[in-house]
Structure formats: C-alpha cells, structure tokens
Amino acid sequence: MISSETLFLEAKALLCELIACPSLSKEEDGTALIIHDFLVKKGIQTHRLGNNIWAKNQYFDSIKPTVLLNSHHDTVKANDSWTENPFIATEKAGKIIGLGSNDAGASLVCLIAAFCHFYAERDLPFNLILAATAEEEISGKGGIESLIHSDDFPAIAWAIVGEPTDCQVAIAEKGLMVIDATCTGKAGHAARNEGINAINIAVADIQKINAHSFARISDVLGPVKTTVTVIQAGKQHNVVPDTCTYTIDCRVNELYSLAEVLAELQGIVEAKLVPRSMRLQSSRIDPEHPVVLAAKKLGLGTFGSPTLSDQALLPCPSIKMGPGHSGRSHTADEFIYVDELKQGIDLYIQLLTF
C-alpha cells in the first residue's frame, strides 16, 4: 500500500509537471505523454486513444461493475492579466499557481493518486478505470466521448468526474444547448418607409424569450435558463437589414430534453432556430445511490451545478467533485491550495471505500 504522504508528494510533482506543459484543447500531446509515462513508471498498463490516457486496475474482473475516475488535462488559453508565468508552477503562500492548477489539474492528479492507491488491491467490490481526457474545455468529440464509444473501453456503471467543487458533490448538472437564430425581413432604403427590418423581428423575439418561463422547475437545478448573448445585423447605415441573427445560450435542467426546449422556444419566436449540438444533455444521479450516501456520511454537501463538464457526455450515473474552487477557473493567476490536494486525495479514497 502506498503511503498517504507518498501519494501526495507524487500528485504534487505531477501537477507541477503538467502545468509546465502547455495543453490547449486539441493540443494535449505533451500532457498526455506526461500522464502516460507517470503511470508506466509505476508498472501500470496504460492505453492511449488520441490524447486520452486510460488504465484499468490490476485485478480487473469483467463480472464486477466498473467505476470510472475521470478528469481532463486540457486548459483554456491564458488571458493577458496573468502576473505569474502561467506555465511555471509557482508555490507561494500555501498555493500552487499555474494554468490548469485548479481546472482541473488538481482533481486529475488526486484521482490518479486514488487510482494508484487501489490499483493492486485484489478484493475491490468493483473495477476502477482511470481516464485522463482531452478536449473537455471545448466539449470536443475527441475527448471522453470518443473513449467511451471505443471498442476496447469497458461499460461503466457509474463515474466520479473531477472538477473544482470545493470537494462538495454535484449530484446534477445542467445541460447546454447553443442555438443560432435567424430572422428574415426585407431589404429597403433607410430614408424611405420600405422594407421589413429584421432587427425589429429579432428585438420582438428577444423580448419574448426574456419573458418566457419553462414550467418544470427542478428541485436541484432550478429552472431552465435561456440567455441571448450575441446579435448581428446590417452592413451599412442606409440599408434596412433583411437578416438579423442572434444566439441563445440554453442551460437545461433534467426535467427537459434539449429537443423539448428547442421546440418550445421555436413556438414563441419568428426566427428559424438551429441548435449547434444536441449532445450536451443534463444529468442527475439518484440521491440514494451508494456514492451519494457515502458522500453524505463523510459530511459532504450536495448541490446542482449550473456549469458544464464531461458529465454531459457520460451514459451512466455520475457525480462531479474535486478540490479547488470553481470561481478560480479561467482566471489570471489560477491556483490551488496545497492543502486542497491533500484533502482531494483523502476524500476520493474515502468515497471509494464505502
């Protein structure tokens, strides 16, 4: 059995190495190799699909249910407000500062530590699969989705998705649908009373969207939320525009399918609505699921998450939990507290010992 101190020191060193290697979505080759080499050096048979790295526990038994431990190693681009070098793990005041430290490097290395803790245990009541995946920040098809649909990847009973949640447990997560809306009018000269202004059609649509309420309200995730975030029209000042487009960001609770939300919105607006994707569905785990009960026994709080993760692409029950605070993600001088790493490893191990 690996000591808790060794698990922590290895996780911390791995996190620092990952921070030092740029890993924008679709450009995660370097961090994939770092994770692969880390596992191989520990004698763990490791698999790679694209930039996704995965491994089974040593005594994997196809008769047992399989639990997935998943987090991602891609990051967003560092913004211009950083005062530290985003690609150097800077340790100060009890923090490790660096791009991806909070989202989701800390969760990833803590899950890897928990996997290593259980890797050679013969009497686990379930199998474990570790998956360090790519393209999460863009919900890309080359990430977890490609892995779970590959022929070699076993069926999953349930999953822990590592994301910064202050080590509280998200038992539900809103789905996401981005809709492009096109309003069609008729061009005319702005100096004369002619044409049909597509902007006016869009304004009326947006007022209807803002006033609309979806009837089914989740006790965990609350209501469906729709927000118009982009609008575009016109090319020159003296021409009445015949086209106006706008974009709707839809955060959907578990009581609606994306198709239902799309149909309801189409019924109240004049624009033609076209969703960019219907892949990112909402999720919710049974509150009586053993992992949820184990979390409650540990005194962990549960909540519904408005933000998206790879949970949306998993075809099985899952929770989202990890060290770090969501509000630090994608910010300048992103950081994780060193003590949060220790807490994350400990809680992941305890959750899997129910």
Side-chain angles (χ1 to χ4, degrees), residues 119-157:
Y119 173 72
E121 190 169 320
R122 288 182 177 272
D123 298 324
L124 283 176
F126 44 71
N127 301 308
L128 285 177
I129 287 187
L130 171 72
T133 49
E135 298 186 22
E136 189 274 345
E137 294 290 1
I138 59 170
S139 299
K141 293 185 178 180
I144 187 66
E145 188 174 28
S146 67
L147 199 57
I148 59 179
H149 293 304
S150 65
D151 292 339
D152 295 333
F153 201 74
I156 303 300

Side-chain angles (χ1 to χ4, degrees), residues 147-178:
L147 199 57
I148 59 179
H149 293 304
S150 65
D151 292 339
D152 295 333
F153 201 74
I156 303 300
W158 57 273
I160 299 175
V161 177
E163 290 283 347
T165 67
D166 296 304
C167 283
Q168 303 304 295
V169 179
I171 59 171
E173 179 183 88
K174 279 189 172 178
L176 170 65
M177 178 171 54
V178 180

Side-chain angles (χ1 to χ4, degrees), residues 26-246:
K26 292 183 177 288
E27 300 175 12
E28 311 96 341
D29 303 50
T31 48
L33 183 60
I34 288 169
I35 296 162
H36 174 274
D37 288 351
F38 175 88
L39 295 171
V40 168
K41 286 175 184 176
K42 297 186 75 64
I44 297 171
Q45 184 178 3
T46 305
H47 309 269
R48 179 168 181 167
L49 178 64
N51 289 328
N52 304 295
I53 303 297
W54 63 281
K56 301 177 186 178
N57 61 298
Q58 184 173 357
Y59 298 105
F60 187 94
D61 182 348
S62 58
I63 296 174
K64 296 178 181 179
T66 297
V67 177
L68 172 65
L69 307 180
N70 165 241
S71 191
H72 64 95
H73 57 101
D74 63 318
T75 71
V76 297
K77 185 178 180 180
N79 63 52
D80 294 334
S81 299
W82 277 75
T83 62
E84 303 285 351
N85 186 329
F87 301 113
I88 294 177
T90 303
E91 188 169 353
K92 60 171 65 171
K95 305 173 182 176
I96 298 172
I97 303 167
L99 184 63
S101 57
N102 182 75
D103 183 18
S107 293
L108 176 61
V109 299
C110 289
L111 283 172
I112 290 173
F115 176 79
C116 291
H117 172 81
F118 290 108
Y119 173 72
E121 190 169 320
R122 288 182 177 272
D123 298 324
L124 283 176
F126 44 71
N127 301 308
L128 285 177
I129 287 187
L130 171 72
T133 49
E135 298 186 22
E136 189 274 345
E137 294 290 1
I138 59 170
S139 299
K141 293 185 178 180
I144 187 66
E145 188 174 28
S146 67
L147 199 57
I148 59 179
H149 293 304
S150 65
D151 292 339
D152 295 333
F153 201 74
I156 303 300
W158 57 273
I160 299 175
V161 177
E163 290 283 347
T165 67
D166 296 304
C167 283
Q168 303 304 295
V169 179
I171 59 171
E173 179 183 88
K174 279 189 172 178
L176 170 65
M177 178 171 54
V178 180
I179 300 173
D180 291 315
T182 302
C183 299
T184 303
K186 183 179 179 181
H189 198 297
R192 296 189 290 270
N193 187 23
E194 62 184 28
I196 300 171
N197 195 327
I199 293 176
N200 293 337
I201 299 172
V203 168
D205 277 2
I206 293 168
Q207 289 174 335
K208 292 173 185 174
I209 292 168
N210 289 341
H212 184 71
S213 296
F214 289 82
R216 297 173 225 156
I217 299 176
S218 167
D219 60 336
V220 178
L221 292 173
V224 172
K225 187 174 187 299
T226 55
T227 309
V228 176
T229 54
V230 178
I231 186 167
Q232 296 173 324
K235 296 181 180 178
Q236 58 190 73
H237 75 89
N238 58 350
V239 177
V240 173
D242 61 356
T243 302
C244 182
T245 62
Y246 59 91

